[in-house]
C-alpha cells in the first residue's frame, strides 16, 4: 500500500479533533490531514444534541477556570472567523438547596477568581425566574459569562475553517490501525494509508480501540438528552431563560433555553451502568425512563408538557477523577486527548489548541495552562490507587 505523507494526521473530527484541525491549519508550513469514521458533523458523536451548557462558575473547582476563560476567548474567535453564532452568553443559573456541596464549590470558585455573578435568594428566584418551580430554601447563582453553546455549529465551523486554510479532510473513513516507525507513524484506513510525523488521537469514546493503554483507565458513561414543550415557549427563549443546573434532593437536571422556538432542553440521567466499548451503549431511553424523567421535569419546571418532544442518547469516556488525558508519547509522535468525562465540550477549543501545540512539537513548558496531572502516566499512577471509574454524577 502506497503511503501518503503529511506532517500531522488528526484521527477524529469531533469535539477536540475539529478544534485541533482548526488550530493546526493556522500554522504555516504544516500539511494537515483529518480523518473521521462518520460524515462531517454527525449524530453519533458525544457533542451531538443541539446545545451544551457553558459555565465559568464550575462546581468541579478551580482546575478548569483558566481553561474555560481561554476557551471563552477562542469561542468568540471561532465566531468571528466563521461568521456563525455559536456561543449565546445568556447566563447560566445554578439552583440548589442552601448548603448543597456542588453549589457551595461553584460559589467559592466565582469568588476566588472574581468572576461576574449574582447570588439570588428564594424570593428573588421566584420573582425573576418563574419558569422554575422554586422550593423553600432554594438559592441561586447566576454566572454572567455562562450560557449555551451550539456544538454542531461549532464543529462545522472549525472544520470549514480548517479546510479553507488548507487542511485535507476525509470523512466516512475508518482507521484500521496505527504503527509507529523510526521515520513517523503509519495510519492505515479504509481509504488508504498515511505516514505522518505526528498523529493526534482525538476519537472520543472510540479512543481505547486505537490506544490500548487507555483500556484500564477509561469507562463509557451514557448521557441522555430530553426536550420539553412549555405552554409559553416565549418564556423559555434565550433572552428570558438562562442555561441552568438544577439540584433538588437526589435529582440533578441540566439544560439550555429554547433555540428552536418551541422546546427547551432539560436533562437528567437514569442509573445506567458504565461500559467498556461503544458497541455496548444503549441507543435510546426506555419508555419507563422517559415517563420518569417527564414526571421529575414537571416537578421542577412550570407549565410544561411532561412528555419529551425529542430525546437522544449519547456517551462519553470518563476517567476516575474526571480529569482529561492530554499527553504526548515518549517518542513525541502520538498526541492523545481523551476522557473528557461529560464536561469537556465547553473547553474543547483550549483542548484543541493544546493538541495542536503538542503535535507541532511545542515544548510542554510553552503549553500555557496544561496541567501535569493530565499526563497519561500521572493518570495511571492515580488509577493504581483509586481504581477505575464506576459511574455516578455529571
Amino acid at each position: 500500500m502506497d503511503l501518503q505523507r503529511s506532517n500531522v494526521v488528526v484521527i477524529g473530527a469531533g469535539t477536540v479533533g475539529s478544534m485541533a484541525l482548526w488550530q493546526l491549519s493556522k500554522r504555516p508550513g504544516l500539511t494537515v490531514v483529518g480523518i473521521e469514521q462518520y460524515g462531517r458533523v454527525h449524530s453519533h458523536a458525544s457533542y451531538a444534541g443541539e446545545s451544551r451548557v457553558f459555565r465559568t462558575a464550575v462546581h468541579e473547582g478551580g482546575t478548569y477556570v483558566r481553561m474555560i476563560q481561554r476557551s471563552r476567548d477562542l469561542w468568540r474567535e471561532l465566531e468571528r472567523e466563521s461568521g456563525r453564532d455559536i456561543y449565546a452568553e445568556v447566563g447560566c443559573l445554578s439552583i440548589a438547596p442552601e448548603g448543597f456541596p456542588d453549589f457551595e464549590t461553584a460559589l467559592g470558585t466565582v469568588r476566588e477568581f472574581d468572576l461576574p455573578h449574582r447570588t439570588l435568594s428564594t424570593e428573588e428566584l421566584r420573582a425573576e425566574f418563574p419558569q422554575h418551580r422554586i422550593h423553600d430554601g432554594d438559592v441561586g447563582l447566576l454566572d454572567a459569562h455562562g450560557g449555551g453553546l451550539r456544538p454542531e455549529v461549532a464543529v462545522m465551523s472549525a472544520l470549514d475553517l480548517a479546510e479553507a486554510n488548507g487542511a485535507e479532510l476525509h470523512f466516512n473513513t475508518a482507521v484500521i490501525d496505527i504503527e509507529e516507525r523510526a521515520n513517523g507513524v503509519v495510519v492505515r484506513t479504509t481509504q488508504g494509508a498515511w505516514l505522518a510525523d505526528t498523529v493526534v488521537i482525538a476519537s472520543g469514546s472510540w479512543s481505547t480501540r486505537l490506544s490500548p493503554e487507555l483500556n484500564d483507565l477509561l469507562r463509557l458513561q451514557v448521557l441522555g438528552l430530553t426536550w420539553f414543550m412549555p405552554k409559553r415557549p416565549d418564556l423559555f427563549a434565550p433572552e428570558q431563560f438562562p442555561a441552568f443546573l438544577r439540584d433538588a434532593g437526589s435529582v440533578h437536571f441540566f439544560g439550555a433555553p429554547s433555540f428552536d422556538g418551541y422546546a427547551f432542553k432539560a436533562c437528567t440521567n437514569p442509573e445506567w451502568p458504565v461500559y467498556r466499548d461503544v458497541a455496548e451503549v444503549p441507543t435510546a431511553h426506555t419508555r419507563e425512563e422517559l415517563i420518569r424523567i417527564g414526571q421529575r421535569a414537571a416537578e421542577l419546571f412550570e407549565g410544561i408538557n411532561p412528555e419529551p418532544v425529542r430525546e437522544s442518547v449519547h456517551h462519553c469516556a470518563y476517567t476516575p477523577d474526571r480529569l482529561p488525558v492530554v499527553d504526548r508519547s515518549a517518542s513525541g509522535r502520538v498526541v492523545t486527548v481523551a476522557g473528557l468525562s461529560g464536561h469537556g465540550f465547553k473547553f474543547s477549543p483550549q483542548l484543541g489548541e493544546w493538541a495542536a501545540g503538542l503535535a507541532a512539537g511545542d515544548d510542554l513548558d510553552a503549553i500555557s495552562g496544561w496541567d501535569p496531572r493530565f499526563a497519561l502516566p500521572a493518570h495511571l499512577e492515580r488509577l493504581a490507587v483509586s481504581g477505575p471509574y464506576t459511574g455516578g454524577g455529571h
Side-chain angles (χ1 to χ4, degrees):
M1 182 181 293
D2 292 335
L3 295 176
Q4 304 170 70
R5 291 300 305 259
S6 179
N7 294 126
V8 185
V9 169
V10 177
I11 301 173
T15 297
V16 175
S18 64
M19 302 298 158
L21 286 162
W22 172 44
Q23 294 294 333
L24 283 163
S25 72
K26 297 182 180 187
R27 294 193 172 224
L30 283 184
T31 55
V32 181
V33 170
I35 298 173
E36 168 58 52
Q37 64 178 323
Y38 294 107
R40 184 193 298 258
V41 185
H42 56 84
S43 61
H44 306 281
S46 297
Y47 63 78
E50 184 199 60
S51 58
R52 286 294 181 273
V53 175
F54 183 86
R55 53 196 167 87
T56 61
V58 289
H59 60 245
E60 294 88 350
T63 299
Y64 297 118
V65 171
R66 290 187 179 87
M67 293 170 62
I68 290 170
Q69 289 175 323
R70 174 59 180 157
S71 293
R72 180 172 177 266
D73 293 340
L74 289 169
W75 285 126
R76 291 303 189 208
E77 183 178 315
L78 184 59
E79 286 185 314
R80 287 192 300 271
E81 291 187 16
S82 68
R84 292 175 173 144
D85 293 329
I86 296 168
Y87 167 32
E89 195 173 70
V90 296
C92 181
L93 178 64
S94 296
I95 301 173
E98 189 170 10
F100 188 77
D102 283 353
F103 184 93
E104 292 299 315
T105 302
L107 186 58
T109 299
V110 296
R111 288 171 174 168
E112 177 185 353
F113 291 89
D114 195 26
L115 304 174
H117 70 282
R118 285 181 59 209
T119 56
L120 296 96
S121 67
T122 305
E123 293 73 22
E124 288 171 325
L125 285 170
R126 286 172 174 157
E128 295 185 39
F129 298 104
Q131 306 92 332
H132 290 269
R133 292 183 184 269
I134 302 301
H135 301 160
D136 290 344
D138 279 348
V139 290
L141 171 62
L142 183 61
D143 172 6
H145 284 173
L149 294 166
R150 306 301 304 274
E152 288 91 346
V153 179
V155 171
M156 179 69 83
S157 298
L159 294 176
D160 286 352
L161 288 167
E163 200 166 44
N165 291 338
E168 179 184 318
L169 306 183
H170 296 265
F171 299 100
N172 300 303
T173 301
V175 173
I176 299 168
D177 62 27
I178 62 174
E179 175 195 353
E180 281 202 60
R181 294 181 179 176
N183 62 338
V185 184
V186 175
V187 180
R188 297 184 183 88
T189 80
T190 53
Q191 305 296 327
W194 281 264
L195 177 63
D197 299 323
T198 311
V199 168
V200 176
I201 297 177
S203 47
S205 296
W206 292 264
S207 297
T208 54
R209 295 183 180 181
L210 294 177
S211 303
E213 63 272 20
L214 297 174
N215 271 317
D216 291 334
L217 179 66
L218 300 184
R219 295 291 184 273
L220 302 186
Q221 175 72 55
V222 185
L223 303 174
L225 307 180
T226 43
W227 287 259
F228 294 90
M229 183 184 293
K231 294 178 182 177
R232 290 278 310 276
D234 57 302
L235 294 178
F236 291 80
E239 300 78 18
Q240 303 291 328
F241 187 68
F244 64 88
L245 302 178
R246 184 78 193 271
D247 288 283
S250 62
V251 176
H252 173 73
F253 265 82
F254 62 94
S258 174
F259 288 110
D260 59 19
Y262 80 98
F264 75 105
K265 187 177 186 177
C267 317
T268 190
N269 285 291
E271 293 300 316
W272 278 306
V274 298
Y275 297 92
R276 297 293 296 266
D277 190 84
V278 177
E280 304 169 353
V281 176
T283 56
H285 296 86
T286 66
R287 184 74 219 138
E288 293 73 22
E289 286 166 351
L290 289 176
I291 291 171
R292 195 157 52 247
I293 291 169
Q295 290 170 341
R296 289 173 174 172
E299 294 169 359
L300 295 178
F301 302 98
E302 189 68 46
I304 70 165
N305 178 21
E307 176 68 21
V309 293
R310 194 158 85 246
E311 63 94 14
S312 58
V313 170
H314 307 270
H315 44 77
C316 189
Y318 279 62
T319 64
D321 55 13
R322 300 185 67 183
L323 294 174
V325 177
V326 184
D327 201 9
R328 184 167 54 199
S329 65
S331 68
R333 295 194 180 279
V334 179
V335 174
T336 301
V337 182
L340 304 192
S341 301
H343 56 198
F345 192 84
K346 64 177 127 341
F347 46 76
S348 58
Q350 170 76 97
L351 293 171
E353 188 175 54
W354 284 344
L358 291 170
D362 293 355
D363 190 87
L364 271 177
D365 293 337
I367 306 294
S368 176
W370 180 83
D371 190 319
R373 292 179 299 167
F374 299 163
L376 181 57
H379 272 284
L380 296 177
E381 287 176 12
R382 296 193 299 274
L383 178 68
V385 176
S386 68
Y389 175 73
T390 57
H394 299 287

